[in-house]
Amino acid sequence: MTGRPLREALIDVEAIEQNVRHLRRLVQTEVIAVVKADGYGHGAVRAATAALSGGASRLGVADIAEAVALRRAGITAPVVAWLHGPDPDFRSAAEHGIELGISSIVQLQAAAAAASPDHPVGVHLKVETGLGRNGVEPREWVRVCAEAARLERVGHLRVVGVFSHLSNTSLADDRAALARFHDALDAAAEVGVRPPLRHIAASNAAIALPEARLNCVRLGIAIYGLSPLADRSSADLGLRPAMTLRSSVAAVRRVPAGQGVSYGYTHRTAAETTLALIPLGYADGVPRQASGRGPVMIGDRRFTVSGRIAMDQFVVDVGDAQVAVGDEVVLFGDPTLGRPAAAEWGDAADTIDYEIVTRIGPRVHRTAVSSEMTGGRP
Ligand SMILES: *Cc1c(COP(=O)(O)O)cnc(C)c1O
């Protein structure tokens, strides 16, 4: 008995730091490290700390609660939160020195009203350039900018950035959105909004569309070492996946031909064989959709999930391989170390690796490790 957690996500914080350092050298701009959704499942505070060490100058999150949690953990770097509900707590944001993404005149005025007299609220004005999510409507843009310039003059606001977000539909679509963004920047300048930061690229465009880098990029998936490009692997991009999802074989059983495996008997053994039980299930973020398809390393050998993935566990038919209780099981990690990529689980579940890493469940123990530990045997 090792006392090792039954279900464990190893988080290589050095990989995050090095990925940021590598990407910053590539883009040659300011980097906003995106640590929303608990740092894409890696732990927001450890991801933020590693990204700042790697040269990010600012952190990005979706909502104010995520930003406040970073402050409560002692992170003092600039943080911007850009997704707000109908009744956002801008007062709390102002108290914690959190910058706000602003998508409407109503939000702009609320941000100004939340400022304390001696402390303007930092805002990033977002313009809609075609994604169809939030962002100021192009026909409202000049009015919002003029109001922002006025509120800046009276000391309630500081316009830190103007930004937008791309659809990654095609390079042509992203170039068209970028052209609309440049028009919006010109219009903003005409009414006196000249922000220090201009940002539209997330990981995909920051790598694939250099003209979209401007003077700042918002990097999410790439800092965690996963490729934002369908046709290029992490290694192709010089990135190292930071998360390794592992467990241990919980039970083995020798069974005859014809044995049904897991709910619904969607797998039946073809011959006498060994079944290994893995204590990870869909409650842990192993997608049931990947039943019969997801890749699994047991020791140094690669297998495929057999039958249905259940809430807490799944089974692997390992044939005559020597597999014992306690053997290390890795679902995904760094492919250069022979592990399946998170993207393979994405493919197996008809989704993307973003969803695989962000949905790792609360029963999975996150263990921060250094690089040599993720590559080493237990
Ligand atoms: C999540 C998000 C990002 C980061 O996207 P990646 O593809 O993970 O780099 C950047 N900007 C906005 C507005 C986002 O919502």
Side-chain angles (χ1 to χ4, degrees):
M1 300 288 143
T2 62
R4 207 217 265 149
L6 183 60
R7 312 173 172 93
E8 194 172 28
L10 304 178
I11 309 299
D12 183 343
V13 286
E14 285 167 26
I16 297 175
E17 180 178 334
Q18 284 165 20
N19 290 332
V20 172
R21 191 167 291 125
H22 173 74
L23 290 159
R24 221 177 94 78
R25 226 175 275 131
L26 173 76
V27 298
Q28 300 281 326
T29 69
E30 274 217 37
V31 169
I32 300 177
V34 181
V35 298
K36 63 190 180 187
D38 198 27
Y40 289 45
H42 296 65
V45 174
R46 74 169 64 87
T49 305
L52 292 166
S53 311
S57 49
R58 197 174 238 92
L59 302 167
V61 291
D63 60 55
I64 291 168
E66 293 180 305
V68 170
L70 293 172
R71 285 283 181 263
R72 294 221 160 106
I75 288 177
T76 56
V79 179
V80 52
W82 52 64
L83 183 60
H84 315 297
D87 186 22
D89 193 354
F90 283 0
R91 180 87 48 193
S92 157
E95 278 164 14
H96 287 94
I98 291 158
E99 297 171 359
L100 297 169
I102 294 295
S103 284
S104 68
I105 193 98
V106 171
Q107 288 181 357
L108 184 73
Q109 286 163 344
S116 63
D118 51 337
H119 237 77
V121 171
V123 297
H124 299 242
L125 305 177
K126 183 173 188 188
V127 60
E128 155 69 353
T129 53
L131 188 58
R133 304 199 319 196
N134 61 4
V136 175
E137 272 300 308
R139 71 186 136 73
E140 297 273 308
W141 178 244
V142 169
R143 186 166 77 96
V144 170
C145 288
E147 178 67 355
R150 186 187 71 77
L151 291 165
E152 189 166 48
R153 281 194 300 274
V154 298
H156 294 175
L157 295 180
R158 200 164 40 88
V159 183
V160 176
V162 165
F163 77 115
S164 191
H165 194 47
L166 294 167
S167 72
N168 307 148
T169 306
S170 67
L171 286 178
D173 284 288
D174 284 353
R175 284 198 180 99
L178 180 59
R180 290 191 280 274
F181 188 61
H182 280 292
D183 291 345
L185 286 170
D186 292 345
E190 274 178 34
V191 294
V193 171
R194 289 183 194 81
L197 298 180
R198 300 175 295 282
H199 48 108
I200 190 166
S203 297
N204 180 305
I207 294 169
L209 190 64
E211 72 248 43
R213 292 173 189 161
L214 308 179
N215 73 348
C216 180
V217 297
R218 300 182 305 271
L219 301 179
I221 199 76
I223 76 171
Y224 304 101
L226 303 180
S227 170
L229 308 178
D231 56 351
R232 303 188 52 198
S233 70
S234 300
D236 291 342
L237 300 175
L239 302 174
R240 218 142 45 77
M243 184 188 290
T244 301
L245 180 62
R246 77 170 180 183
S247 184
S248 308
V249 173
V252 291
R253 156 187 320 282
R254 192 76 186 162
V255 300
Q259 160 105 34
V261 173
S262 191
Y263 295 130
Y265 290 169
T266 57
H267 176 77
R268 268 184 200 278
T269 57
E272 184 182 316
T273 189
T274 298
L275 301 179
L277 181 67
I278 317 302
L280 279 166
Y282 57 77
D284 305 305
V286 179
R288 185 174 180 276
Q289 181 80 0
S291 293
R293 294 204 291 253
V296 187
M297 293 285 298
I298 303 178
D300 293 327
R301 292 192 54 184
R302 200 179 159 110
F303 301 95
T304 300
V305 172
S306 305
R308 294 255 171 86
I309 293 167
M311 190 182 295
D312 315 307
Q313 53 198 299
F314 64 86
V315 172
V316 179
D317 181 340
V318 300
D320 293 327
Q322 288 302 309
V323 168
V325 169
D327 284 359
E328 186 186 47
V329 177
V330 173
L331 272 63
F332 60 83
D334 184 349
T336 67
L337 303 174
R339 282 83 190 257
E344 292 176 64
W345 276 90
D347 292 342
D350 298 325
T351 182
I352 52 176
D353 47 7
Y354 287 70
E355 187 174 342
I356 299 299
V357 293
T358 53
R359 294 186 75 167
I360 298 302
R363 290 193 306 203
V364 177
H365 187 267
R366 267 73 166 176
T367 308
V369 295
S370 63
S371 297
E372 63 264 30
M373 287 168 72
T374 51
R377 304 241 59 88

